Amino acid sequence: MSRINELRDTLFIGDRTGADLYGRIFVVSAFGGISNLLLEHKKSGKPGVYGEFTNADNHHGWHDALTRVNVAMVDAHCAVLEHPADISQANDFVQERIEGARNCLIDLQRLCSYGHFRLAEHMAQIRELLAGLGEAHSAFVTTLMLQRAGVDARFVDLSGWRDDGGVSLEQRILGAMEGIDTASEIPIVTGYAQCAEGLMQEFDRGYSEVTFSKLAALTGAREAIIHKEFHLSSADPNLVGADAVRKLGRANYDVADQLSNMGMEAIHPSAAKTLRQADVPLRVTNAFEPKDPGTLIDDQPATEPAVEIVTGLDIIALEVFEQDMVGVKGYDSAILDVLTRHDVRIVSKVSNANTITHYVDSSLKTMRRVEKDIAARFPAAKISSRTLAMASAIGRDLNGLSVLTRGLLAIGDAGCEALGASQGPRNVDVQFVVDREALKPVIKALHKAFIEDDQKALSRAA
């Protein structure tokens, strides 16, 4: 979004004229970094306005944080808008939304100073309110930019700003789209949608893809397209080299689910489910190469077995050992209850007679609380957390490729050690657990073995 001025002349307009400009709906996210400032930094966890407000000992922290958002929003739209009148309108929009949110939070703090009201009961709504500010800003700015270029664009605000609440996501979308003729105008839609379900409560930062998929399903879209800064490739080009990676070109929703499990944001699993059920194919493209068809994701099986992508992420191994676990029920469900209560995402799990190990995507701080709760439930158990990493080889069909065996050999040849490995009967992914410092060389080794070397072998055979 921070480069929409570049996309105006390629993705949004390009060589299209007249009616060819239309028949499309764009769902936009916030400008880069804005959601981090509004909520919290997605990777570091540094608090934004929401984090400062929830832990406020005084008013200064969150007030200052909201002012920083104001400055960042103005900087973002000044970088992409060219006409002074458009910049002035965008400035006024930001001022109105930021000060409206500020007054709302002040009133809520004042209300909750009375004993009958609890601030904690309103935190979910506050998070929703703040999240919507970023997408509303970027959608408004994009609309201004396109209108200035002669395109009939319409700002479609799903954020519920000063609207009546209590409507479902479907009602919110259908109500906003009523009366819009997509054959003669381009709707620019906010990625956040205020609704009775509460998108943030269920999907947190993945809400824009949920809105996107629901809109595609409700409007009967021919195709849903996610525009990214890069192609969906066989690995991170910055890691294995731009010349070594290849564009996927084709994948299915099973692969998309595995990528999501490994922390890659191809598409949120719930969004993928909505598209799959509505029989809407998904395409992931490089926004800056609009003529490239990108990667099509649908329900079609692979024409032949192959590893299609290698990726990885940092994990923590939570190990619970107790000698008396053998043949006793209840350990697994109790551990899962604790992990769920602390909102810990499980990536994978292994167990044997007396040990259950969960590989999770979480922080050590959270895991310390998890360990304490499990120890209270099983005082005789030995509980430990260890920082590790997981590499995964993923493909629509891995049958007959001996990925587990060949992967272990490739890891060994690279001078690394696999601390664990697993492959399920569905044969769409194989996971290798390694030390964190070994993750990058392991990904490179697996990519070379399964994609670069196999591609060379196919070329020689041809």
Side-chain angles (χ1 to χ4, degrees):
M1 286 305 299
S2 299
R3 298 169 65 185
I4 54 170
N5 55 333
E6 298 176 47
L7 297 177
R8 174 188 54 205
D9 302 322
T10 55
L11 178 65
F12 287 102
I13 300 176
D15 55 5
R16 296 180 177 87
T17 58
D20 291 340
L21 282 166
Y22 305 103
R24 299 176 296 163
I25 302 171
F26 284 92
V27 180
V28 300
S29 58
F31 285 104
I34 297 297
S35 293
N36 288 340
L37 292 174
L38 284 165
L39 303 173
E40 65 282 319
H41 195 284
K42 199 170 184 179
K43 293 184 178 179
S44 71
K46 181 181 178 181
V49 178
Y50 176 80
E52 294 287 356
F53 188 81
T54 56
N55 300 307
D57 294 325
N58 55 60
H59 298 321
H60 300 299
W62 72 262
H63 271 289
D64 292 343
L66 197 55
T67 299
R68 286 193 291 272
V69 174
N70 192 330
V71 172
M73 283 183 170
V74 171
D75 287 345
H77 68 240
C78 284
V80 297
L81 294 175
E82 299 168 356
H83 199 284
D86 295 337
I87 293 174
S88 178
Q89 284 193 67
N91 288 344
D92 291 344
F93 182 88
V94 169
Q95 179 77 8
E96 190 259 340
R97 294 293 173 111
I98 291 293
E99 294 312 312
R102 193 189 303 274
N103 290 334
C104 176
L105 296 182
I106 289 172
D107 290 344
L108 186 58
Q109 277 192 329
R110 185 181 297 118
L111 178 67
C112 292
S113 66
Y114 295 89
H116 295 81
F117 303 94
R118 295 289 181 269
L119 187 61
E121 297 173 0
H122 303 282
M123 293 315 298
Q125 288 84 357
I126 293 169
R127 192 168 176 83
E128 299 263 344
L129 169 72
L130 292 170
L133 296 177
E135 275 79 9
H137 170 238
S138 63
F140 184 78
V141 171
T142 303
T143 304
L144 287 177
M145 182 193 69
L146 292 177
Q147 289 174 344
R148 181 63 59 181
V151 177
D152 287 330
R154 184 190 293 205
F155 171 47
V156 180
D157 188 1
L158 302 181
S159 70
W161 186 256
R162 302 188 184 280
D163 287 350
D164 294 332
V167 298
S168 67
L169 177 59
E170 181 172 334
Q171 290 170 327
R172 174 71 69 190
I173 291 173
L174 291 177
M177 293 299 294
E178 187 177 359
I180 296 178
D181 180 10
T182 56
S184 60
E185 55 186 332
I186 298 180
I188 307 297
V189 184
T190 58
Y192 169 77
Q194 192 279 331
C195 58
E197 297 96 316
L199 292 188
M200 292 292 291
Q201 294 183 58
E202 187 169 356
F203 308 109
D204 202 55
R205 300 283 281 270
Y207 56 79
S208 60
E209 292 177 359
V210 174
T211 303
F212 159 80
S213 62
K214 190 70 172 180
L215 180 61
L218 289 173
T219 57
R222 178 175 57 84
E223 195 170 78
I225 305 172
I226 295 179
H227 300 288
K228 293 184 174 288
E229 293 183 74
F230 43 78
H231 283 297
L232 193 56
S233 303
S234 56
D236 182 352
N238 294 321
L239 177 58
V240 305
D243 295 336
V245 300
R246 63 178 181 83
K247 184 183 70 177
L248 260 63
R250 196 71 182 261
N252 63 14
Y253 284 113
D254 207 345
V255 167
D257 288 343
Q258 307 312 318
L259 293 178
S260 185
N261 186 51
M262 294 300 293
M264 286 189 66
E265 299 177 351
I267 187 170
H268 193 284
S270 294
K273 177 182 177 182
T274 298
L275 294 175
R276 190 167 58 242
Q277 291 178 340
D279 198 25
V280 176
L282 170 69
R283 191 177 296 276
V284 180
T285 72
N286 184 330
F288 300 96
E289 296 181 17
K291 294 186 182 300
D292 192 299
T295 296
L296 181 66
I297 300 175
D298 54 21
D299 274 328
Q300 295 303 308
T303 55
E304 58 184 23
V307 173
E308 295 168 325
I309 188 167
V310 178
T311 187
L313 82 165
D314 290 339
I315 58 169
I316 294 177
L318 172 68
E319 185 176 277
V320 179
F321 165 82
E322 185 169 354
Q323 199 69 55
D324 296 335
M325 189 184 297
V326 183
V328 179
K329 297 179 180 179
Y331 283 87
D332 207 355
S333 60
I335 296 169
L336 287 173
D337 285 344
V338 173
L339 291 172
T340 301
R341 189 162 64 250
H342 289 279
D343 196 26
V344 174
R345 189 175 75 85
I346 300 169
V347 179
S348 186
K349 184 186 84 169
V350 294
S351 63
N352 59 24
N354 53 22
T355 307
I356 299 173
T357 303
H358 286 88
Y359 298 117
V360 302
D361 181 12
S362 185
S363 67
L364 280 172
K365 182 179 179 181
T366 299
M367 295 314 296
R368 295 292 175 258
R369 294 195 290 265
V370 168
E371 289 180 33
K372 182 179 179 180
D373 286 0
I374 296 175
R377 178 69 176 81
F378 303 113
K382 181 179 178 181
I383 306 162
S384 62
S385 294
R386 178 182 177 187
T387 56
L388 295 171
M390 179 178 289
S392 182
I394 301 170
R396 287 170 288 172
D397 181 5
L398 303 182
N399 285 296
L401 298 179
S402 302
V403 175
L404 183 61
T405 303
R406 291 173 59 198
L408 291 171
L409 289 172
I411 292 171
D413 289 344
C416 301
E417 179 184 4
L419 305 176
S422 62
Q423 180 173 10
R426 190 167 175 78
N427 268 329
V428 292
D429 75 318
V430 179
Q431 299 172 337
F432 302 92
V433 179
V434 298
D435 286 324
R436 282 199 176 179
E437 60 269 21
L439 180 59
K440 290 182 179 180
V442 163
I443 289 176
K444 292 175 71 173
L446 294 174
H447 188 270
K448 184 177 185 302
F450 292 118
I451 294 173
E452 297 169 53
D453 290 351
D454 281 4
Q455 192 67 41
K456 290 176 182 177
L458 287 172
S459 300
R460 286 195 298 268

